[in-house]
Amino acid sequence: MTDLVVRRLLVDMEAPISRHWCGGDPFRSAFFNALSMSFPVGEQFFIDSVRNAFKALPADKQAPFDAEVKGFIGQEATHRRLHALYNAHLDALGLPNAWEPRAKDRIRRLEGLDPRHAVAATAANEHFTAIFAQWLLHNPSVLESADSRLSTMWLWHAAEEAEHRCTAFDLYKALGGNEKWRLRWFRIVTVFFLTDILRQTVTNLRADRTLWRRATWASAWRHLFGKQGLIRQTFGPWRDYFKSDFHPSHHDAAASVNWLVTHRASYQPVGG
Ligand SMILES: [Fe+2]
Ligand SMILES: [Fe+2]
């Protein structure tokens, strides 16, 4: 079981952010903003799913998960609080969040079902956040010339996503979740996640009036399909989830540990 530390990030998210906070690049700014828009509702769903899965375990199986579940909930609650502050700035910039109501609708449809469905969907989403996190931690130049508060926040979030990548997956397995439903939820989450991130990025660029600039598309191509591109680098790790013996710990998280050690001045461990 993993020792998950809750960390208070020492950045001021109250001060406004600029429209193209990510190195003056409309695409990168719009893409990260889109992702952030999904977090407050998404991370609340992960918290609820993990808490309900934990409660559904027989008492003797709960003890080994106790500290890890508390740490997971604390980390995700901290993420959602900071992303809500960040998103309020996006709202003030006139960027409409169309992802959140769609996500809320889908989450509502899981109410009352076997808790293994929600935790399987959470494990699938956590695989996405973990491979995205690994990509970002290995390619910090994606945040080159960004507002330093936001670049610290994204890398801290990435480090913690990589750190707690096993929690939902292990709970699903401990509840006797089967392979068929694990993979089925991964396919569903893949379709929704890719559609939503694309739609929200386009919405943000349209609201920003930068959708049809050549520089926007050049940046999109470079950061998605170029040598260090997100899609190019994460396709293999994404596909690993289909292996019958897959476990999130098979993916190395040394970059996360390294960031947390070298950026110790950026955060304060809570209750430790
Ligand atoms: Fe998170
Ligand atoms: Fe997470």
Side-chain angles (χ1 to χ4, degrees):
M1 299 293 148
T2 324
D3 214 10
L4 298 174
V5 178
V6 180
R7 303 171 181 90
R8 192 165 62 86
L9 197 62
L10 305 173
V11 296
D12 172 20
M13 280 310 299
E14 302 283 345
I17 62 172
S18 69
R19 184 168 283 277
H20 300 143
W21 62 266
C22 195
D25 179 344
F27 172 75
R28 280 186 288 152
S29 305
F31 183 79
F32 279 106
N33 291 346
L35 209 50
S36 180
M37 286 168 165
S38 77
F39 284 143
V41 67
E43 296 189 303
Q44 186 60 51
F45 169 67
F46 304 157
I47 290 170
D48 294 340
S49 306
V50 159
R51 191 184 275 130
N52 291 336
F54 176 74
K55 281 192 202 152
L57 282 173
D60 62 315
K61 280 192 168 180
Q62 282 184 353
F65 279 104
D66 195 42
E68 185 177 351
V69 164
K70 283 197 183 95
F72 177 94
I73 292 172
Q75 288 191 343
E76 294 293 32
T78 315
H79 302 167
R80 72 183 294 278
R81 230 182 353 260
L82 277 190
H83 279 276
L85 289 172
Y86 170 6
N87 292 353
H89 295 312
L90 302 180
D91 195 47
L93 289 170
L95 303 176
N97 186 346
W99 190 339
E100 185 169 292
R102 281 200 301 275
K104 274 187 181 162
D105 240 32
R106 283 183 215 129
I107 291 166
R108 220 170 282 128
R109 280 184 245 153
L110 288 170
E111 277 171 21
L113 297 184
D114 184 318
R116 284 177 290 193
H117 287 294
V119 83
T122 298
N125 272 293
E126 289 281 286
H127 185 60
F128 268 90
T129 52
I131 62 177
F132 176 81
Q134 285 288 73
W135 171 74
L136 194 57
L137 289 162
H138 282 106
N139 299 282
S141 61
V142 173
L143 291 162
E144 202 168 24
S145 312
D147 180 326
S148 66
R149 295 170 301 154
L150 286 170
S151 105
T152 301
M153 182 181 159
W154 277 107
L155 290 164
W156 156 80
H157 193 167
E160 292 195 347
E161 286 305 320
E163 193 178 33
H164 71 223
R165 68 198 183 289
C166 302
T167 308
F169 189 97
D170 286 341
L171 279 167
Y172 178 72
K173 291 283 183 177
L175 280 169
N178 66 29
E179 280 299 281
K180 187 178 161 198
W181 282 95
R182 181 176 78 83
L183 298 183
R184 191 165 193 169
W185 274 110
F186 188 56
R187 287 191 195 96
I188 294 169
V189 165
T190 295
V191 171
F192 282 139
F193 182 79
L194 295 182
T195 312
D196 281 331
I197 184 82
L198 176 68
R199 283 176 73 176
Q200 188 62 52
T201 302
V202 168
T203 300
N204 291 349
L205 288 168
R206 191 174 281 137
D208 188 36
R209 299 177 189 277
T210 48
L211 178 61
W212 298 114
R213 281 194 199 162
R214 184 190 284 269
T216 300
W217 289 78
S219 173
W221 181 263
R222 194 166 60 251
H223 292 101
L224 297 177
F225 302 104
K227 214 157 105 192
Q228 294 187 313
L230 175 62
I231 292 175
R232 186 187 280 209
Q233 287 200 1
T234 58
F235 179 71
W238 168 81
R239 204 176 39 187
D240 287 344
Y241 203 82
F242 289 104
K243 291 179 183 162
S244 59
D245 64 345
F246 175 75
H247 188 269
S249 64
H250 296 166
H251 285 173
D252 165 74
S256 153
V257 176
N258 186 44
W259 191 90
L260 290 167
V261 170
T262 53
H263 292 80
R264 181 60 191 79
S266 302
Y267 61 83
Q268 187 73 51
V270 179

